[in-house]
Amino acid sequence: MRRLRILVLMHPDFLPPDSSEGYTAQEINNWKTEYDVVSTLRAAGHDVRALGAQEEIKPVREAIEQFKPHVVFTLLEEFHNNVAYDQHIASYLELMKVPYTGCNPRGLILARGKDLSKTLVHHRRIAVPAFAVFPMRRKVIKRPKHLALPLIVKSLNMDGSAGISQASIVDTDEKLAERVAFIHDRSETAAIAEQFIEGRELYVGVIGNNRLRVLPVWELKFGSMGGRRSRHIATEKAKHDTDYQEKVGIVDGPAKDLSPEVTARIQRAAKRIYRALGLDGYARIDFRLTADGTPYFIEANPNPEIAKSQEFATAAQHAGLEYPDLLQRILTLGISRAKAGVSLG
């Protein structure tokens, strides 16, 4: 395998140590993706430089000019502390004519807006929850007629379950107004309220630019989360609190007891969504599966977390793609896109 110079971009707060020894599980959880990517690429023989970038682009330009990377592995999910700016990093790398991993700028934009992505996917005749958007600084005067309670209220643009808790599920108009105001204040973004889909939480990884590989259907299993009165949803706590995950038994793994027909339907839908949103590199498509076997598209996550323990990497491993090979495949896709001179930005 060719030895590459790889510049890995990440948030400065997540620059990983040389070793994970001596850190708690929660501490490691903060930078596990960055640590796994950097250490695995170095173990594979590549010349890897980790760079924290957030407030200004100058350090990125200087690193490119001095280090002359063959490819940039980007783990940045925001810039200037704004998640909507991640596409600007991809655009900048294209302007610099440097190959980079992950999704192109247009795909990042289309996937970022939960309203736009749902609208595009709906036109492909894939089931999506009914929804409405409530812009910043605009109170909920009246619930739209097409929205039936209960609803789940989220930030329109943020991912990683930011701002999602059991209180996100609302069953009255008063609670809807309260939660929309909370999202406006907490995330400083517009809010989206969508039909709450009772069912299983499923994830499907997709890898590729033109020829796509769909990974096995993966399921987030909620254990004893919240007791009988609690809704099984991927809250911020369920996603990121390792102590809580262990306490209530939240785990992910292959989705069991799915018929071959339902499995094939979900994987076909994931591929169609990936193409409809102009994604490339790698992405995770999230669904809720109802009791009658209907998969509802919830959102697309280009450049999802790829720590060894995260669902994307474990699903890839389940399909026979070991972690070093997964990272190598992601690198190859970024380099081949640049060689083809293809930009979807």
Side-chain angles (χ1 to χ4, degrees):
M1 182 173 58
R2 179 189 175 197
R3 186 173 190 263
L4 300 173
R5 290 188 302 278
I6 304 171
L7 178 65
V8 185
L9 296 182
M10 61 192 68
H11 193 287
D13 291 348
F14 303 146
L15 281 166
D18 293 332
S19 171
S20 60
E21 292 184 10
Y23 293 92
T24 66
Q26 189 60 53
E27 288 172 332
I28 292 172
N29 189 62
N30 293 326
W31 37 258
K32 62 183 179 182
T33 297
E34 291 76 11
Y35 178 82
D36 287 349
V37 169
V38 170
S39 61
T40 301
L41 292 176
R42 282 177 176 158
H46 298 301
D47 184 4
V48 180
R49 180 177 298 184
L51 176 66
Q54 185 59 210
E55 297 298 334
E56 56 182 48
I57 203 70
K58 183 180 178 181
V60 179
R61 186 185 73 242
E62 291 176 343
I64 290 172
E65 292 173 347
Q66 296 168 11
F67 187 50
K68 295 182 170 46
H70 295 105
V71 60
V72 173
F73 204 121
T74 177
L75 298 176
L76 281 172
E77 296 181 349
E78 60 179 38
F79 198 70
H80 278 301
N81 301 305
N82 189 328
V83 295
Y85 289 173
D86 59 352
Q87 71 264 16
H88 297 318
I89 298 300
S91 297
Y92 180 76
L93 294 172
E94 291 195 345
L95 290 174
M96 294 289 285
K97 300 187 183 302
V98 179
Y100 62 94
T101 63
C103 189
N104 66 83
R106 188 180 72 173
L108 290 170
I109 293 170
L110 296 181
R112 175 67 64 192
K114 296 180 177 68
D115 55 341
L116 181 55
S117 63
K118 283 183 173 63
T119 300
L120 292 171
V121 167
H122 177 67
H123 281 296
R124 296 296 191 274
R125 298 184 178 181
I126 294 171
V128 302
F131 69 89
V133 174
F134 299 95
M136 281 286 291
R137 292 177 290 278
R138 190 175 301 176
K139 294 182 179 181
V140 180
I141 305 300
K142 187 176 181 181
R143 172 167 48 92
K145 293 182 179 180
H146 70 283
L147 284 185
L149 298 167
L151 301 168
I152 183 168
V153 184
K154 314 172 186 177
S155 163
L156 181 63
N157 306 112
M158 298 184 74
D159 55 15
S161 295
I164 298 180
S165 69
Q166 288 297 322
S168 300
I169 309 275
V170 299
D171 52 15
T172 68
D173 290 332
E174 292 75 19
K175 289 181 180 178
L176 171 62
E178 290 173 4
R179 197 64 190 179
V180 167
F182 171 84
I183 291 296
H184 288 169
D185 293 339
R186 161 86 184 265
S187 68
E188 298 184 342
T189 69
I192 182 171
E194 60 187 52
Q195 172 193 4
F196 175 66
I197 305 299
E198 191 75 59
R200 299 167 68 176
E201 182 96 358
L202 303 181
Y203 305 137
V204 183
V206 183
I207 309 173
N209 294 341
N210 298 313
R211 297 179 60 184
L212 305 183
R213 179 174 180 175
V214 182
L215 299 179
V217 180
W218 224 240
E219 181 171 8
L220 183 63
K221 302 168 187 178
F222 296 95
S224 61
M225 174 182 174
R228 295 180 179 179
R229 296 183 180 181
S230 178
R231 304 275 192 168
H232 283 179
I233 58 173
T235 63
E236 192 169 2
K237 189 172 185 178
K239 277 279 192 178
H240 302 294
D241 189 329
T242 55
D243 292 336
Y244 179 70
Q245 292 166 1
E246 185 175 352
K247 178 181 177 182
V248 303
I250 296 174
V251 296
D252 62 78
K256 298 180 179 179
D257 304 320
L258 294 182
S259 70
E261 293 78 15
V262 170
T263 298
R265 182 181 180 185
I266 294 170
Q267 290 181 316
R268 284 197 303 271
K271 188 182 290 187
R272 290 171 61 200
I273 292 165
Y274 193 91
R275 293 195 188 283
L277 299 180
L279 306 178
D280 60 1
Y282 62 106
R284 192 192 74 224
I285 313 298
D286 297 357
F287 296 92
R288 294 282 286 191
L289 181 69
T290 60
D292 67 0
T294 301
Y296 278 79
F297 167 67
I298 301 301
E299 64 183 33
N301 295 277
N303 307 348
E305 283 194 57
I306 49 169
K308 289 180 184 178
S309 60
Q310 290 295 119
E311 59 269 359
F312 194 94
T314 51
Q317 184 180 38
H318 190 74
L321 190 60
E322 296 296 330
Y323 192 67
D325 298 323
L326 171 63
L327 297 188
Q328 185 61 43
R329 178 63 181 150
I330 290 171
L331 289 171
T332 300
L333 288 168
I335 293 170
S336 63
R337 175 181 54 201
K339 285 183 177 179
V342 176
S343 171
L344 300 176

